[in-house]
Amino acid sequence: MNTRAAVNAPDGAGAVNTASTRAPAPPPPTLDRDKLFAARLFAARVRPYLATALFALHTVESRHVPTMAVDRHWRCYVSPGFVDRMSVEDLAGVWVHEVSHLLRDHHGRSDRVARERGLTGPGERLRMNIAADFEINDDAYGDGLVTPAGAIRPETLGLPAGNLMEDYLRWFQLGPRTQELAWLDCGSGADGLDREWDLGADGAHGLSEQQRDAVRFRVAQGITGRPGSAPSGWRRWAEEAFHPPQPWRQLLGAAIRSAVSAPGAGEDYVYGRPSRRSVSLPGVVLPSLRRRPPRVCVVIDTSGSVSDAELGSALLEVAAISRAVGGRRDLVTVVPCDAAARVAQPLCRAEGIELLGGGGTDLRTGFAKALRTQPPPDAVVVLTDGQTRWPDTRPSCRTVVGLFPRRYETGEYAEDNPDYVPDTPPDWARVVEIGSAPIAR
Amino acid sequence: MPTRTLYAALNPTLSPTQLDVAGDLLTLLRDTTTEPRPDIQLEALTLSVAADLPVLLWGEPGIGKTAALTQLADALELPLTTVIASVHEPSDFSGLPVIGDDPAEQGVPMAPPDWAVRLVRAGKGLLFLDELSTAPPAVQAALLRLVLERRIGALRLPPGVRIVAAANPRSSAADGWELSPPLANRFVHLQWTHDHEVVVRGLGGTWPRATLPRLDPEKLPEAVDFARRAVCGLLTGRPKLVHQLPGNETRRGGAWPSPRSWEMAISLIAFATAAGSSREVLSLLVRGTVGDGPGLELLACVDRMDLPDPEIFLADPTAGELPERGDLRQAVLDGVVAAVRNRPDRARWDAAWALLVRALETGAPDLVVVPATTLASIRREDWDVPASIERLAGVVSLSHRADLAQARAAAVTGTTGKGGR
């Protein structure tokens, strides 16, 4: 109860603690281990890909915890009274919920968000706990798992489902509407704030960082190995758990920079003219640094499947990057292309580039057009969603592909040919995925 | 203020000038102490340097990469030579061609720069190549030879020279070039981050003093054997992991698996084992050598090697230690049941039951359900059910309870129980 008060005090929410007020005082219930572990077995059966993580949790009986809570060292604190009150199927949902906090690294992400946005105090941590719960609860239940009593969903606050904790955090504040959520407490594993019942890093049976990574990795491998049985939220987590998408702006910038500045295109050492150091070193042959502004040709996929917003943002980036690299905007040309390539336009008219098109895609004509421009480009940048055919041979200059990722839900195009997957960009191109939001581990 | 009084004592007639006072203040500011503190980053760095593998430190500017290097050089008693790669020309690393009297007769010698000459003369040292990722491609190409063949022009670096490089990550290198995959593959990549607590305490006057790992001479053969078994065990089952050029833009210029980096991984595991380092250090080293995914698989493989052999339990169910952690315990129980299935025999079957009873008495009951069900299915007709199975009755009721709940939940959520689509 003290803990409740401590968490609630700053935001003034009353100690609405169903756990401690409703528990019968005279006979303190003993922990019904059979019920608790039957629930875990059930959870592992309906979510086989989480079994490793569920079994890796070390359970600790604790009378300080209002319900069930996890710490960052993968211990799960369980209140005997809570187990007593809940049904086995509800408890199974709680197990999955708690382990999700740990798998999704909510404590680490909370700490990062707190640092980035300057959020301090227990009230903010409570908000992070609520946002993390939203992230889990909007797709954790169903399909054999019931929603446990009292689980909160984003709809409770009128928020859209399917988002990340970081997004939810921007969308609500503590207030009258969150009053009844204030009892909620999933422990330091959910929001990074240490609790009084935590055994800490030195306590027994905690998992070290390396062990935690290993468990998360095994779960992610289980999901990517058999993607059919896991919901899309988990599949996305598994894909990105150990390879979080990088900020595409920087990647695209780096790729274009490296394409236009590599030997033969932009700036490198040549022996054509004497070095500035030659004067002081007679008899020594030195290369000197020469810079030739590169020509960049941007091929834009204007077929119907690429949205205007995507194109606009990517084109702006390309223009900015190539300006920074080449310095001269007249060296950048643009070729809009759907099934046929249009007229190449210099970017100095960029304010009014007409992006014609809207039909199917065949980027091969775009490539041909780009390579035929006079003088030939040093680098070709292609912006596309990848649903196209690619040239068979490697073009004569460096190629960067900015790819708008398309996620294919199972069964979408399975009618005629279940094995059909659009061609991936060829090996000779450097591929940057554009517009995927970075999901922190 | 000891300095001040000393000054006053020596120069009783002179009043101190402003610069002297400033000097006193500086002395006070530099007066810091150190405290011992485990530092896994520094330990990983030390082990890689000891293993004579080139290390690349990735870190934001200004977080103490150079300071760590200075400390390491002190601890290893090596002179530190710092070369800023980005301000040098390729000829500074490949040698400056000097035209002599008769090039056709004598050839054109490639003269090494002075720091290389001094390094070779000293015979040992720590060569620190700073700002690697901001060096132009031609300079990186010249560095490739320095890092791989340890040659600068006509000079060859003596074996006592160790190479450490530093680079800024792409996000903070304003106009950086990419590290090319061949160069990246030659390094052990260590992410250098700062620990908030260490920095605050350090600014308060107490910097950490890391205790460096010491290799245990008695453990050497065992360490080499362990390292080779771990890597070969993994690669036998996963041939695809042997060589994987990074195809993904995000992983270019980082660690990736190749026969060369696996060989580096073997020596690092051997060094970490001989030094008795923690798994955290091993994790940093392995993931920095072959990349995150293959590194984690290797660590999982090492974890499995640590699990007790099923045959120990089948020989004597009371021997050996069952792991405390649930997922590992289940892995052991599954392994034992699989061993019985592979070579079914009455005595082994009974021993497995005895082990399951022991597992039930010492840990969570739900872990025993799946192995018990599997074990029961292996039974031959002439095998009597052991008496100990009575004690597993609780497991049956537990499983039954889960089944009932599952049926109730399925009725609510509208699916057909066993999940899966």
Side-chain angles (χ1 to χ4, degrees), chain A residues 85-153:
Chain A
R85 282 197 313 280
M86 302 287 272
S87 68
V88 176
E89 51 266 45
D90 276 357
L91 277 176
V94 178
W95 272 110
V96 169
H97 177 96
E98 297 299 336
V99 86
S100 300
H101 277 306
L102 296 174
L103 284 171
R104 290 168 184 240
D105 191 26
H106 279 151
H107 52 92
R109 284 162 60 188
S110 295
D111 287 347
R112 273 197 291 279
V113 167
R115 250 198 328 270
E116 280 164 18
R117 304 189 192 163
L119 307 175
T120 50
E124 291 295 344
R125 293 290 179 171
L126 174 63
R127 227 156 60 75
M128 288 171 199
N129 197 156
I130 295 174
D133 279 10
F134 285 163
E135 181 188 318
I136 294 171
N137 289 352
D138 59 11
D139 66 349
Y141 307 116
D143 200 16
L145 201 62
V146 292
T147 313
I152 50 165
R153 286 170 164 275

Side-chain angles (χ1 to χ4, degrees), chain A residues 32-42 45-46 51-53 55-58 87-89 142-147 205 207-211 213-215 217-218 221 228-232 235 242-247 250-251 254-255 257-258 261-263 267-269 271 275-277 281-287 289 430-433 441, chain B residues 40 86-92 96-100 136-139 170-171 173-178 238 247-252 279-280 283 287 292-294 296-297 299-300 303-304 324-328 330 360 363-367 369-370 394-395 397-406 408-410 412-413 415 417-421:
Chain A
D32 186 349
R33 282 168 52 89
D34 278 356
K35 188 175 184 183
L36 184 67
F37 289 123
R40 182 160 80 165
L41 186 64
F42 166 26
R45 278 183 186 164
V46 290
T52 306
F55 291 141
L57 280 174
H58 179 78
S87 68
V88 176
E89 51 266 45
D143 200 16
L145 201 62
V146 292
T147 313
H205 305 308
L207 265 60
S208 71
E209 194 181 345
Q210 191 270 126
Q211 289 168 325
D213 270 0
V215 171
F217 181 71
R218 239 171 295 160
Q221 252 190 333
S229 58
S232 61
R235 282 209 304 276
F242 286 93
H243 297 294
Q246 301 276 317
Q250 286 154 16
L251 284 175
R257 199 155 46 218
S258 122
S261 61
E267 187 177 18
D268 206 359
Y269 287 94
Y271 287 89
S275 160
R276 61 191 161 79
R277 278 155 85 180
L281 294 167
V284 177
V285 185
L286 291 171
L289 199 58
R430 297 188 60 172
V431 183
V432 177
E433 290 211 346
R441 290 208 268 136
Chain B
I40 63 167
S86 57
V87 299
H88 281 270
E89 294 181 3
S91 45
D92 291 343
L96 299 150
V98 181
I99 300 175
V139 175
R170 216 167 359 198
S171 51
D175 55 349
W177 273 269
E178 290 286 280
R238 297 291 314 274
N248 188 326
E249 186 64 28
T250 55
R251 273 172 271 170
R252 284 177 72 96
R279 276 291 152 76
E280 270 63 43
S283 168
R287 289 163 75 170
D292 271 349
L296 283 163
E297 285 199 45
L299 291 167
D303 280 343
R304 275 199 299 279
E324 197 64 40
R325 235 174 83 192
D327 55 330
L328 298 182
Q330 191 169 41
L360 182 68
D366 53 338
L367 301 172
V369 173
V370 175
V395 170
S397 71
L398 184 85
S399 174
H400 186 59
R401 204 167 172 183
D403 284 340
L404 285 179
Q406 203 168 337
R408 285 198 300 272
V412 174
T413 58
T415 42
K418 287 276 172 184
R421 284 174 215 168

Side-chain angles (χ1 to χ4, degrees), chain A residues 216-242:
Chain A
R216 293 172 60 228
F217 181 71
R218 239 171 295 160
V219 172
Q221 252 190 333
I223 294 175
T224 46
R226 291 173 51 209
S229 58
S232 61
W234 276 114
R235 282 209 304 276
R236 190 171 68 166
W237 169 81
E239 276 166 27
E240 292 168 356
F242 286 93

Side-chain angles (χ1 to χ4, degrees), chain B residues 313-314 316-318 322 333 336 347-362 368 375 386-389 391-392:
Chain B
F313 290 116
L314 290 178
D316 176 8
T318 55
L322 272 172
L333 295 180
V336 168
R348 289 159 70 84
W349 194 64
D350 286 345
W353 280 117
L355 182 70
L356 289 187
V357 170
R358 187 180 150 203
L360 182 68
E361 282 163 358
T362 54
V368 185
L375 193 61
S388 60
I389 219 164
R391 295 159 76 180
L392 288 168

Side-chain angles (χ1 to χ4, degrees), chain A residues 61-336:
Chain A
E61 180 178 346
S62 169
R63 287 173 198 283
H64 300 285
V65 193
T67 54
M68 259 166 92
V70 282
D71 70 5
R72 55 178 79 223
H73 304 284
W74 286 66
R75 295 189 201 93
C76 183
Y77 304 88
V78 185
S79 146
F82 179 68
V83 173
D84 219 36
R85 282 197 313 280
M86 302 287 272
S87 68
V88 176
E89 51 266 45
D90 276 357
L91 277 176
V94 178
W95 272 110
V96 169
H97 177 96
E98 297 299 336
V99 86
S100 300
H101 277 306
L102 296 174
L103 284 171
R104 290 168 184 240
D105 191 26
H106 279 151
H107 52 92
R109 284 162 60 188
S110 295
D111 287 347
R112 273 197 291 279
V113 167
R115 250 198 328 270
E116 280 164 18
R117 304 189 192 163
L119 307 175
T120 50
E124 291 295 344
R125 293 290 179 171
L126 174 63
R127 227 156 60 75
M128 288 171 199
N129 197 156
I130 295 174
D133 279 10
F134 285 163
E135 181 188 318
I136 294 171
N137 289 352
D138 59 11
D139 66 349
Y141 307 116
D143 200 16
L145 201 62
V146 292
T147 313
I152 50 165
R153 286 170 164 275
E155 296 91 68
T156 323
L157 297 183
L159 299 175
N163 290 288
L164 297 174
M165 176 195 133
E166 286 83 353
D167 298 327
Y168 286 126
L169 261 184
R170 294 180 203 278
W171 296 335
F172 72 93
Q173 289 297 328
L174 293 178
R177 284 199 301 171
T178 58
Q179 281 275 333
E180 62 223 72
L181 308 181
W183 64 269
L184 171 159
D185 191 348
C186 294
S188 57
D191 55 18
L193 181 74
D194 287 340
R195 303 297 204 279
E196 64 172 40
W197 59 76
D198 277 359
L199 295 179
D202 308 327
H205 305 308
L207 265 60
S208 71
E209 194 181 345
Q210 191 270 126
Q211 289 168 325
R212 300 195 292 255
D213 270 0
V215 171
R216 293 172 60 228
F217 181 71
R218 239 171 295 160
V219 172
Q221 252 190 333
I223 294 175
T224 46
R226 291 173 51 209
S229 58
S232 61
W234 276 114
R235 282 209 304 276
R236 190 171 68 166
W237 169 81
E239 276 166 27
E240 292 168 356
F242 286 93
H243 297 294
Q246 301 276 317
W248 63 270
R249 284 199 170 83
Q250 286 154 16
L251 284 175
L252 189 65
I256 293 179
R257 199 155 46 218
S258 122
V260 299
S261 61
E267 187 177 18
D268 206 359
Y269 287 94
V270 292
Y271 287 89
R273 280 201 227 173
S275 160
R276 61 191 161 79
R277 278 155 85 180
S278 296
V279 191
S280 56
L281 294 167
V284 177
V285 185
L286 291 171
S288 61
L289 199 58
R290 281 287 164 269
R291 185 186 184 96
R292 185 165 63 87
R295 291 172 212 285
V296 180
C297 188
V298 186
V299 180
I300 299 179
D301 182 347
T302 51
S303 63
S305 50
V306 183
S307 79
D308 291 352
E310 285 177 330
L311 275 182
S313 64
L315 187 56
L316 275 180
E317 289 301 319
V318 171
I321 293 160
S322 29
R323 260 205 307 280
V325 171
R328 286 163 54 189
R329 295 173 70 192
D330 57 322
L331 294 176
V332 181
T333 49
V334 175
V335 180

Side-chain angles (χ1 to χ4, degrees), chain B residues 55-420:
Chain B
V55 189
L56 180 53
L57 308 180
W58 289 96
E60 304 288 331
I63 57 163
K65 294 187 293 260
T66 314
L69 255 290
T70 315
Q71 196 189 1
L72 179 69
D74 277 351
L76 297 175
E77 294 171 6
L78 291 173
L80 179 67
T81 306
T82 304
V83 178
I84 313 278
S86 57
V87 299
H88 281 270
E89 294 181 3
S91 45
D92 291 343
F93 299 107
S94 58
L96 299 150
V98 181
I99 300 175
D101 295 336
D102 189 357
E105 191 65 33
Q106 296 166 354
V108 179
M110 303 295 267
D114 67 326
W115 56 263
V117 175
R118 269 184 273 128
L119 207 53
V120 171
R121 205 172 287 152
K124 61 174 188 174
L126 195 61
L127 176 57
F128 179 38
L129 305 168
D130 207 353
E131 306 274 345
L132 193 69
S133 59
T134 35
V139 175
Q140 284 192 19
L143 278 171
L144 200 64
R145 190 154 171 267
L146 166 61
V147 173
L148 178 69
E149 295 177 33
R150 308 169 64 93
R151 279 181 179 280
I152 305 162
L155 280 187
R156 191 184 175 87
L157 292 179
V161 174
R162 301 293 155 91
I163 299 172
V164 179
N168 298 329
R170 216 167 359 198
S171 51
S172 58
D175 55 349
W177 273 269
E178 290 286 280
L179 210 60
S180 63
L183 188 58
N185 195 230
R186 287 176 169 86
F187 281 105
V188 179
H189 300 253
L190 294 182
Q191 305 295 331
W192 211 259
T193 50
H194 69 272
D195 184 341
H196 175 252
E197 202 181 309
V198 169
V199 172
V200 172
R201 212 168 147 65
L203 294 175
T206 313
W207 289 100
R209 182 180 65 245
T211 41
L212 298 175
R214 297 243 166 265
L215 300 175
D216 182 353
E218 291 183 356
K219 279 193 189 163
L220 301 187
E222 177 199 335
V224 172
D225 176 59
F226 179 79
R228 289 191 174 144
R229 265 194 305 138
V231 171
C232 297
L234 173 70
L235 294 185
T236 314
R238 297 291 314 274
K240 269 177 79 181
L241 287 184
V242 173
H243 190 270
Q244 269 182 348
L245 199 70
N248 188 326
E249 186 64 28
T250 55
R251 273 172 271 170
R252 284 177 72 96
W256 53 278
S258 76
R260 174 179 26 231
S261 48
W262 281 115
E263 198 183 337
M264 287 160 57
I266 290 185
S267 25
L268 288 174
I269 297 172
F271 268 82
T273 313
S277 298
S278 68
R279 276 291 152 76
E280 270 63 43
V281 176
L282 188 65
S283 168
L284 280 185
L285 289 171
V286 167
R287 289 163 75 170
T289 311
V290 293
D292 271 349
L296 283 163
E297 285 199 45
L298 180 63
L299 291 167
C301 202
V302 170
D303 280 343
R304 275 199 299 279
M305 283 168 68
D306 279 354
L307 291 184
D309 185 3
E311 295 301 328
I312 297 176
F313 290 116
L314 290 178
D316 176 8
T318 55
E321 190 100 350
L322 272 172
E324 197 64 40
R325 235 174 83 192
D327 55 330
L328 298 182
R329 174 173 285 224
Q330 191 169 41
V332 169
L333 295 180
D334 283 345
V336 168
V337 173
V340 174
R341 182 196 288 276
N342 285 344
R343 205 150 49 81
D345 145 338
R346 178 68 201 268
R348 289 159 70 84
W349 194 64
D350 286 345
W353 280 117
L355 182 70
L356 289 187
V357 170
R358 187 180 150 203
L360 182 68
E361 282 163 358
T362 54
D366 53 338
L367 301 172
V368 185
V369 173
V370 175
T373 321
T374 322
L375 193 61
S377 70
I378 303 177
R379 182 183 166 219
R380 299 282 162 88
E381 281 183 11
D382 55 329
W383 293 354
D384 294 331
V385 177
S388 60
I389 219 164
E390 285 300 314
R391 295 159 76 180
L392 288 168
V395 170
V396 178
S397 71
L398 184 85
S399 174
H400 186 59
R401 204 167 172 183
D403 284 340
L404 285 179
Q406 203 168 337
R408 285 198 300 272
V412 174
T413 58
T415 42
T416 51
K418 287 276 172 184

